[in-house]
């Protein structure tokens, strides 16, 4: 390098022209740029040496201005088209000759600038530039277009987000939704890295912590104030894919029932369907048939038969398997099947001919099963009744509905028989939490009643019949069981207050239920074998049972062999457990929100059990609401004490609840 040489080097990645001023030591040079600033550089940092000279730093602006007339990126594409055909590499001087028919310093430097800034057509190799292949150029153009589109979409998203924050209604694009979902994962999956989403928030001047992001998504209307984060974190989707919805529509338009044309016609029987008023999936009905000269009552338990609309392994079956169950949340139901099917042709609809799998059974004088039969049937539900309707009809003793009294008597006999077989009854208060569209919350206790007892016993009876049939014929079914618990001694239980406290102590001893393709004893039900079969529209294992039963009844090959059935049961079990957690967490959330809204009320609380007695930490029951919570007591209390509690803090978002002990209401011993 000599004094007065015009060179190009990079300063913090930016190309810069400067004139060599003097050497500095043995290896460095001092160069001066157009601003008169001095820089100490090594010769290795020189990226280009401009011909001609000598130059002064004051010459740089006019030189750059001269070069500007040659800066035409489109001309580089023309040169590439020529050179790629010839397969020739090029240096800046040769490119200047090709493009401008000149090799003066300005056009040569312009050619160097075009080549060094180019990301599409040429790649540097030593002192020359090789033309990229046509396919490489096409790929790079595509990548650059994708990057440009992303940058444009990001700018549009930031603008839309700002408009939404200003209160404007936004029609979010697909790319907007993708970014909003990425931002929402900061809340839903806080343990993961979310750099892209955090960068977007930073560009808006927004914090990316959990609470700030949640408030932002609520503010722009992406989420509601009470968004169900438990559901969003789970694998259970509220909506069905368009593919599944299309299959559902095709089944609605042309339901096929040809494989079940030999159904037993029971449309002459009076059929009662009994459910809560809000229930839309009607999957069970009950009848009584009097047979023989003795008019022996045969009970019929009719279960909706959705398998007639499915084939094992088809889109609807696999979707139901993935979901594993319907979710019952305070805000509404998330069905296992598309609702147009679940509440339509799959349900037992009053006044319509419906397909069912029916279990006919006669009981002996003790309530045990004397005889049973199972058939695919056709029925016509007569009455759509609520539990309250049935309780009233039983109280009135209506003679023209004597079948209900017969069913109620059979239910009592069944309960007594199961008790003789070792069943264990645990009667803890059960709450039903409902949230209306205006977010009004109601919490109702499900009172024990003759109608609920009647239905429960009939469903258990159907499960016992199914278990017996499976055991007798060696069928692989999703048998349910429960190991025998080690219960406290009777004298120890009698020391505890009767009611929830005693039942709570029993509940703690109960082992978790199990599922197997082989028969198991179910200890708490008092049954040697049991298979859930009564909810095939909303519980996938019940649907599996229907597939297996119907195939065996027809004498055809079972759709699921033992190993396959075991594998499905395992995967469905994991999904069902997740669904149970979502239901439990969602109910707790709305329970805490209800308490927050009623923080001025004094609640009667029952001390249920100790969690850590030495720390005063116990489980409590708000009796009017059926809510079980925890509380750390400041003063000594006994199990069974009833106290007046007032809510001190209730924050459902933080899952936090604290009470203030108000007034002692009473003590039960």
């Amino acid at each position: 390098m000599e004094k007065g040489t015009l060179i190009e080097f990079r300063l913090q990645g930016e190309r810069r022209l400067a004139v060599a001023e003097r050497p500095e030591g043995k290896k460095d040079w001092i160069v001066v740029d157009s601003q008169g600033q001095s820089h100490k550089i090594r010769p290795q940092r020189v990226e280009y040496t401009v011909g001609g000279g000598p130059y002064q730093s004051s010459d740089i602006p006019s030189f750059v201005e001269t070069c500007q007339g040659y800066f035409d990126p489109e001309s580089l594409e023309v040169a590439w088209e020529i050179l790629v055909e010839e397969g020739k590499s090029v240096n800046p001087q040769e490119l200047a000759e090709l493009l401008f028919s000149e090799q003066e310093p300005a056009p040569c430097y312009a050619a160097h600038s075009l080549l060094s800034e180019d990301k599409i057509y040429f790649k540097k190799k030593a002192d020359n530039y090789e033309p990229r292949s046509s396919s490489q150029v096409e790929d790079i153009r595509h990548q650059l277009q994708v990057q440009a589109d992303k940058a444009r979409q990001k700018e549009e998203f930031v603008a839309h987000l700002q408009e939404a924050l200003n209160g404007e209604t936004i029609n979010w694009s697909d790319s907007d939704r993708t970014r909003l979902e990425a931002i929402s994962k900061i809340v839903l999956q806080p343990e993961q890295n979310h750099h892209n989403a955090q960068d977007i928030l930073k560009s808006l001047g927004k914090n990316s912590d959990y609470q700030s992001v949640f408030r932002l998504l609520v503010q722009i209307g992406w989420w509601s104030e009470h968004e169900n984060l438990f559901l969003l974190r789970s694998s259970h989707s509220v909506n069905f894919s368009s593919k599944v919805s299309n299959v559902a529509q095709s089944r609605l338009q042309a339901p096929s029932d040809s494989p079940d044309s030999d159904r037993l016609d029971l449309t002459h029987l009076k059929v009662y369907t009994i459910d809560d008023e809000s229930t839309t999936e009607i999957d069970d009905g009950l009848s009584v048939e009097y047979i023989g000269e003795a008019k022996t009552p045969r009970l019929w338990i009719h279960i909706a038969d959705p398998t007639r609309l499915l084939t094992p392994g088809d889109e609807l079956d696999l979707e139901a398997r993935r979901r594993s169950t319907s979710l019952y949340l305070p805000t509404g139901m998330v069905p296992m099947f598309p609702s147009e099917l679940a509440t339509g042709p799959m349900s037992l609809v009053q006044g319509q001919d419906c397909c069912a799998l029916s279990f006919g059974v006669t009981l002996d004088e003790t309530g045990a099963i004397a005889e049973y039969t199972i058939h695919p049937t056709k029925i016509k539900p007569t009455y759509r009744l609520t539990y309250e309707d049935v309780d009233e009809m039983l109280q009135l003793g209506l003679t023209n509905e004597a079948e209900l009294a017969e069913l109620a008597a059979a239910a009592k006999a069944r309960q007594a028989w199961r008790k003789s077989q070792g069943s264990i009854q645990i009667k803890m208060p059960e709450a039903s939490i409902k949230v209306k569209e205006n977010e009004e919350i109601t919490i109702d206790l499900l009172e024990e009643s003759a109608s609920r007892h009647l239905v429960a016993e009939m469903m258990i009876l159907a499960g016992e019949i199914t278990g017996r049939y499976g055991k007798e014929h060696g069928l692989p079914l999703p048998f349910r069981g429960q190991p025998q618990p080690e219960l406290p001694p009777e004298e120890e239980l009698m020391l505890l207050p009767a009611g929830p406290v005693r039942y709570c102590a029993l509940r703690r001893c109960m082992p978790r239920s199990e599922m197997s393709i082989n028969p198991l004893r179910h200890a708490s039900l008092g049954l040697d074998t049991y298979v859930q079969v009564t909810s095939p529209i909303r519980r996938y294992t019940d649907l599996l049972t229907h597939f297996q039963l119907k195939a065996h009844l027809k004498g055809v090959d079972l759709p699921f062999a033992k190993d396959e059935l075991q594998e499905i049961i395992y995967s469905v079990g994991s999904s069902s457990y997740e669904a149970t957690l979502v239901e439990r967490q969602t109910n707790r959330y709305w329970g805490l929100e209800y308490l927050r809204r009623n923080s001025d009320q004094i609640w009667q609380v029952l001390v249920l059990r100790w969690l850590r007695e030495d720390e005063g930490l116990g489980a409590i029951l708000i009796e009017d609401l059926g809510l079980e919570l925890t509380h750390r007591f400041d003063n000594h209390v006994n199990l069974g004490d009833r106290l007046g509690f007032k809510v001190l803090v209730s924050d459902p978002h933080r899952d936090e609840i604290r009470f203030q002990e108000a007034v002692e209401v009473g003590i039960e011993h």
Side-chain angles (χ1 to χ4, degrees):
M1 192 185 307
E2 296 181 358
K3 179 179 172 62
T5 303
L6 181 59
I7 57 98
E8 179 189 274
F9 71 104
R10 286 188 184 267
L11 183 65
Q12 296 179 344
E14 178 188 346
R15 294 169 51 233
R16 185 168 294 199
L17 285 169
V19 175
E21 179 70 24
R22 65 180 187 279
E24 180 79 3
K26 293 182 179 180
K27 297 182 178 180
D28 297 332
W29 270 81
I30 300 297
V31 298
V32 182
D33 64 20
S34 61
Q35 304 296 319
Q37 294 181 339
S38 298
H39 306 272
K40 184 168 74 172
I41 66 169
R42 292 277 171 96
Q44 294 92 324
R45 289 179 60 191
V46 175
E47 296 198 356
Y48 185 79
T49 301
V50 178
Y55 295 92
Q56 301 287 331
S57 61
S58 58
D59 296 333
I60 296 175
S62 61
F63 177 77
V64 171
E65 186 176 352
T66 303
C67 294
Q68 292 294 333
Y70 297 96
F71 289 149
D72 180 10
E74 292 184 4
S75 65
L76 193 64
E77 183 179 359
V78 174
W80 170 78
E81 290 174 350
I82 295 171
L83 294 168
V84 75
E85 289 184 7
E86 299 175 358
K88 293 174 59 177
S89 60
V90 69
N91 61 32
Q93 289 73 25
E94 292 168 340
L95 184 64
E97 179 66 35
L98 178 64
L99 292 179
F100 315 121
S101 302
E102 302 181 44
Q103 287 195 346
E104 294 300 313
C108 286
Y109 180 69
H112 158 74
S113 298
L114 288 170
L115 287 168
S116 62
E117 293 296 322
D118 172 53
K119 299 291 187 292
I120 302 175
Y121 303 106
F122 294 89
K123 58 183 176 182
K124 191 171 184 180
K125 190 170 185 180
D127 293 330
N128 289 341
Y129 290 84
E130 289 184 347
R132 289 187 168 95
S133 69
S134 298
S135 60
Q136 289 175 326
V137 168
E138 189 61 34
D139 287 345
I140 293 170
R141 281 174 171 164
H142 175 71
Q143 292 169 10
L144 291 174
Q145 184 60 49
V146 169
Q147 292 172 5
D149 289 343
K150 285 183 177 178
R152 175 182 53 78
Q153 290 169 356
K154 182 179 177 181
E155 289 178 5
E156 291 175 352
F157 172 70
V158 170
H160 288 164
L161 203 57
Q162 194 59 59
E163 290 166 1
L165 288 169
N166 293 334
E168 298 181 35
T169 301
I170 304 299
N171 184 18
W172 301 105
S173 67
D174 289 342
S175 63
D176 287 340
R177 292 177 179 277
T178 300
R179 287 176 169 81
L180 285 168
E181 287 169 1
I183 290 173
S184 69
K185 286 180 181 176
I186 295 175
V187 175
L188 299 175
Q189 300 169 357
E191 70 285 353
Q192 297 184 6
N193 293 323
H194 306 283
H195 297 306
N196 292 338
Q198 289 167 339
D199 288 344
I200 293 172
L201 293 173
K202 187 177 180 180
S203 67
L204 281 167
K206 298 293 182 182
N207 294 328
S208 57
D209 61 280
Y210 180 102
Q211 292 296 331
S212 298
V213 174
F214 181 84
R215 296 309 313 166
L216 171 69
L217 294 173
V218 171
Q219 190 177 352
I220 65 173
W222 182 249
W223 281 351
S224 71
E225 177 69 27
H226 300 289
E227 194 71 28
N228 192 333
L229 304 183
F230 315 111
L231 181 58
L232 292 179
R233 290 188 184 109
S234 76
S235 60
H236 290 261
S237 174
V238 174
N239 300 313
F240 289 87
S241 68
S242 57
K243 189 174 183 180
V244 172
S245 297
N246 290 338
V247 173
Q249 287 300 320
S250 69
R251 301 293 162 84
L252 277 175
Q253 293 163 10
S256 173
D257 197 28
S258 55
D260 298 329
S261 56
D262 58 345
R263 288 180 179 274
L264 178 64
D265 190 342
L266 296 180
T267 53
H268 61 284
L269 292 181
K270 187 188 295 183
V271 178
Y272 303 94
T273 64
I274 307 169
D275 264 297
D276 287 309
E277 189 173 358
S278 59
T279 302
T280 54
E281 297 175 340
I282 310 299
D283 52 15
D284 58 82
L286 302 172
S287 298
V288 180
E289 179 184 22
Y290 295 97
I291 56 177
E293 293 183 3
K295 300 293 184 183
T296 303
R298 174 188 285 162
L299 312 178
W300 282 100
I301 304 157
H302 310 288
I303 308 302
D305 181 14
T307 61
R308 71 187 182 90
L309 299 171
L310 310 172
T311 301
D314 70 9
E315 285 294 330
L316 288 174
D317 173 53
L318 293 179
E319 179 69 12
R321 188 183 304 177
R322 186 184 69 78
R323 290 173 178 262
S324 76
T325 183
S326 295
L327 285 172
Y328 292 90
L329 307 175
T331 47
M333 181 188 66
V334 180
M336 187 173 78
F337 288 110
S339 58
E340 58 268 31
L341 283 179
T343 62
M346 287 184 175
S347 278
L348 303 182
V349 182
Q350 179 182 357
Q352 295 183 14
D353 285 348
C354 300
C355 294
L357 187 63
S358 297
F359 300 78
V361 57
T362 56
L363 304 177
D364 65 19
E365 63 279 0
T366 68
I369 296 173
E371 293 180 341
Y372 72 84
T373 185
I374 308 174
H375 295 280
T377 61
K378 183 176 289 185
I379 64 171
K380 190 171 186 177
T382 315
Y383 296 116
R384 164 80 162 92
L385 301 175
T386 65
Y387 291 109
E388 291 75 18
D389 292 334
V390 175
D391 285 330
E392 185 176 354
M393 293 165 77
L394 289 172
Q395 278 187 333
L396 293 173
L398 300 178
T399 55
N400 57 340
E401 304 299 342
E403 293 89 344
L404 285 175
E406 192 75 60
L407 288 164
K412 286 182 180 178
R414 284 290 300 167
Q415 183 181 40
W417 178 81
R418 289 195 303 107
K419 187 174 182 181
S420 72
Q421 302 301 304
S423 68
I424 303 167
Q425 282 196 322
I426 297 176
K427 300 178 182 178
M428 294 296 291
E430 187 178 351
S432 172
I433 305 177
K434 301 290 184 186
V435 180
K436 298 180 180 178
E437 289 186 4
N438 62 358
E439 293 190 345
E440 177 189 348
I441 310 169
T442 60
I443 301 182
D444 297 314
L445 285 179
L446 299 180
E447 300 291 343
E448 188 178 354
S449 68
S451 61
R452 291 185 183 275
H453 173 248
L454 183 161
V455 172
E457 285 295 339
M458 292 301 106
M459 299 306 105
I460 294 170
L461 177 56
E464 186 189 1
I465 293 170
T466 305
R468 282 197 179 192
Y469 185 89
K471 186 175 182 179
E472 289 167 5
H473 295 91
L475 297 184
L477 296 174
F479 290 92
R480 284 190 172 269
Q482 187 182 43
Q484 191 66 34
E486 293 185 14
L487 300 179
E490 186 68 21
E491 57 271 18
E492 184 179 321
L493 281 175
M494 295 306 293
L495 293 175
L496 295 174
V501 175
R502 195 175 296 172
Y503 286 128
C504 187
L506 286 173
R507 186 179 64 185
R508 289 185 63 196
C509 302
M510 301 304 295
R512 290 183 63 175
S513 62
E514 302 172 349
M515 193 176 290
S516 170
I517 59 172
N518 300 309
L520 298 168
R521 175 167 171 77
H522 200 298
S524 63
L525 292 180
L527 299 178
D528 289 332
T529 180
Y530 176 69
V531 178
Q532 286 184 320
V533 70
T534 58
S535 296
I537 304 175
R538 44 191 174 183
R539 196 163 51 214
Y540 188 76
T541 52
D542 296 41
L543 191 75
L544 283 175
T545 301
H546 276 238
F547 276 130
Q548 298 288 82
L549 277 181
K550 285 180 64 180
H552 191 266
L553 289 167
K554 292 176 191 175
V556 299
D557 291 341
L558 299 180
F560 302 104
K562 287 185 177 182
D563 290 346
E564 184 182 7
L565 187 68
Q566 184 67 67
E567 187 177 334
I568 293 172
I569 288 172
Y570 179 79
S571 65
V572 168
S574 299
S575 181
S576 297
Y577 179 71
E578 182 186 53
T580 300
L581 283 181
V582 171
E583 289 177 338
R584 192 177 298 159
Q585 291 165 332
T586 306
N587 275 289
R588 178 178 168 86
Y589 176 94
W590 285 106
L592 296 189
E593 176 62 14
Y594 183 87
L595 291 172
R596 187 191 69 81
R597 296 182 189 184
N598 295 275
S599 57
D600 57 341
Q601 187 165 340
I602 295 177
W603 302 99
Q604 179 172 285
V605 167
L606 178 68
V607 184
L608 272 183
R609 69 182 179 94
W610 291 113
L611 302 173
R612 291 193 294 273
E613 187 173 5
D614 58 328
E615 299 176 19
L617 185 64
I620 60 173
L621 171 69
I622 301 179
E623 294 187 281
D624 290 342
L625 304 178
L627 297 179
E628 293 185 37
L629 302 163
T630 59
H631 178 70
R632 194 178 299 277
F633 292 92
D634 297 326
N635 304 312
H636 174 75
V637 294
N638 297 308
L639 298 184
D641 284 359
R642 284 188 166 83
L643 309 168
F645 270 25
K646 191 173 182 181
V647 174
L648 194 61
V649 174
S650 184
D651 187 340
H653 289 292
R654 296 179 181 271
D655 192 30
E656 182 181 358
I657 180 73
R658 282 185 283 138
F659 294 98
Q660 180 180 13
E661 298 173 38
V663 183
E664 186 170 309
V665 177
I667 299 177
E668 179 181 299
H669 290 294

